[in-house]
Amino acid sequence: MNRYLFICAGTVLLGVGGVVADGVLKSAQVCAAEEQVSFKGDIQPLLKWRCSGCHEGTGEGVQKSGLDLSNYAGLMKGTKFGRMVIPGDPESSNLMMLLDWRVAPAIRMPHGKKQLSSCDRDAIRTWIRQGAKDN
């Protein structure tokens, strides 16, 4: 699995992002450009590792929701209740709501298991923000 790194630069100087207020230079935080996240290299292996037990083939998650995470088409098709991914908008995507546990405990994912790490959730969030491409 390819891994990427969120790199946040510390202080940015005046002329590059600093701000002068009341004669005092205030620093600003800036994040370096993020690396492109790949569905095939980053997201699909993560989904296979953490979600395929229920959301593949005849798994319980497929039977209950209709969500098949075995491939890109299944993820983008969504569930019988609606879309899971809104390309470009991770915070409104149902997938992120479920994975971030911003929903009722009974439907948090992965159901009955430990929450995905913040790093894994950030990878999915970044992929969605970058357009949720089949790359």
Side-chain angles (χ1 to χ4, degrees):
M1 175 189 300
N2 292 336
R3 298 308 299 175
Y4 63 94
L5 188 57
F6 285 98
I7 304 171
C8 285
T11 305
V12 178
L13 300 176
L14 181 64
V16 182
V19 178
V20 175
D22 299 322
V24 179
L25 176 62
K26 306 285 185 182
S27 65
Q29 293 287 331
V30 212
C31 284
E34 61 191 17
E35 189 174 321
Q36 185 69 34
V37 178
S38 160
F39 178 76
K40 290 178 180 78
D42 299 307
I43 304 306
Q44 190 171 28
L46 175 60
L47 295 176
K48 184 156 189 65
W49 174 53
R50 292 299 307 267
C51 311
S52 66
C54 294
H55 288 282
E56 202 171 274
T58 58
E60 183 179 352
V62 176
Q63 291 176 6
K64 287 185 176 181
S65 70
L67 181 60
D68 180 358
L69 296 176
S70 62
N71 58 50
Y72 178 81
L75 172 58
M76 298 310 286
K77 178 182 174 188
T79 71
K80 54 187 166 189
F81 306 107
R83 292 172 59 183
M84 292 301 293
V85 174
I86 300 171
D89 190 0
E91 298 313 310
S92 297
S93 293
N94 288 325
L95 180 62
M96 290 314 308
M97 289 184 197
L98 292 166
L99 295 176
D100 285 339
W101 290 12
R102 293 184 282 139
V103 295
I107 59 172
R108 291 175 178 167
M109 292 293 138
H111 186 64
K113 296 181 182 171
K114 183 179 172 187
Q115 185 179 31
L116 271 66
S117 71
S118 60
C119 183
D120 290 341
R121 287 181 284 130
D122 284 344
I124 297 168
R125 189 181 334 278
T126 299
W127 171 74
I128 293 171
R129 185 175 42 257
Q130 292 176 347
K133 298 174 187 147
D134 186 10
N135 55 357

